[in-house]
Amino acid sequence: ATGQARCPPRRHAGRSGDRLRPAVTRSWARAGRGRFPYGLDAPGPIATLGVVGIVSVAVGLRVKRLALWPGLALVAYVGGHLWGSSVGKVRAAKRLLDAIPWRGDEVVLDIGCGHGLFLVEAARRLRTGTAVGIDVWSQKDQWRNRPAAPIENARRAAVAGRVCVHSADARQLPFPDATFDVVVSSLVVHNIPGAEDRRRAMREIVRVLKPGGRVVLVDLAHTAAYARELRAAGLTDVHRSQPMPEFLVTARAVTAGA
């Protein structure tokens, strides 16, 4: 599809420019190409760990041998993180989405879409449906995170006509009840401070999910609490996966059905 995506209605109007069209994102094309088309996760901490690791290795080789092994461990961890941000999380996202029995006409919500990994991969599985991404566009949590990034990645994947993006908070989704067939989120909800606000985000997911819909949540922490909250809200077939180091070492997936 090459036309404008048919975005679902919103419960309240956002500020001008909240909904982004592929035509306004051409300037992102060159910047979006590179080793991390779907974003480098946690760039600040990873840069710090990388510097500390390299310095420790240098000290271990030249001055104090005891610093060598911790330094090598940090460098290996950073290398694994970079692999996960460029390759691993893409493979894992495809595997999680492949487990959903797609019809092709679904309306999908990606909460905290970032550069659009789950958004674009969901759109690839649609024929007449729409994939909607929301985010608050935090630069701390993902490198160069901005609204134009997922739209450009969708354009490059030839699915821009099935994608639209909004600025919105997971704790107050701007959509009517029972809007989406599938709700996904990756490495996002743990960034919401406070257990009550995270529970609020879970309740919002359930509110906008259609009867018979599916949920796929990947996160670094609190996944057991997410599973409990989804069960308490009436979702069925709730499962919490084993660790998924393709995303990050402590990441797990929570899947559920309405």
Side-chain angles (χ1 to χ4, degrees), residues 46-251:
I46 285 302
T48 300
L49 289 176
V51 170
V52 172
I54 291 170
V55 170
S56 297
V57 170
V59 170
L61 291 173
R62 292 175 176 270
V63 182
K64 194 171 183 180
R65 208 69 172 175
L66 285 176
L68 178 61
W69 295 110
L72 289 173
L74 284 176
V75 170
Y77 177 83
V78 170
H81 182 95
L82 296 177
W83 177 85
S85 283
S86 60
V87 177
K89 69 180 183 181
V90 178
R91 293 178 180 175
K94 290 178 178 179
R95 187 169 69 250
L96 287 168
L97 291 175
D98 282 343
I100 296 174
W102 298 92
R103 300 183 310 269
D105 63 349
E106 290 88 354
V107 183
V108 182
L109 176 63
D110 184 358
I111 296 174
C113 63
H115 285 60
L117 170 57
F118 274 80
L119 185 72
V120 170
E121 287 301 326
R124 290 181 192 272
R125 290 156 173 78
L126 303 176
R127 297 188 304 274
T128 59
T130 300
V132 181
I134 67 155
D135 209 311
V136 297
W137 314 112
S138 168
Q139 298 291 314
K140 178 182 72 173
D141 301 318
Q142 194 171 81
W143 181 62
R144 302 183 78 172
N145 194 22
R146 61 194 76 182
I151 293 294
E152 175 55 27
N153 278 327
R155 186 191 67 79
R156 291 168 61 194
V159 296
R162 301 195 285 276
V163 166
C164 58
V165 172
H166 297 285
S167 296
D169 192 307
R171 295 166 290 186
Q172 190 175 5
L173 297 176
F175 305 104
D177 297 358
T179 297
F180 297 97
D181 300 283
V182 178
V183 177
V184 300
S185 182
S186 175
L187 308 181
V188 170
V189 181
H190 76 279
N191 293 307
I192 298 175
E196 178 53 39
D197 275 353
R198 290 191 293 271
R199 285 193 289 269
R200 183 178 175 187
M202 292 300 108
R203 292 193 293 268
E204 280 290 273
I205 287 172
V206 175
R207 180 184 65 78
V208 301
L209 190 67
K210 292 180 181 178
R214 301 292 303 175
V215 173
V216 178
L217 306 177
V218 178
D219 216 340
L220 308 180
H222 314 301
T223 50
Y226 304 162
R228 287 195 300 270
E229 191 66 29
L230 294 176
R231 289 190 188 99
L235 297 196
T236 61
D237 197 27
V238 179
H239 295 285
R240 178 172 175 254
S241 76
Q242 294 298 311
M244 301 183 70
E246 305 98 313
F247 286 100
L248 283 172
V249 173
T250 61

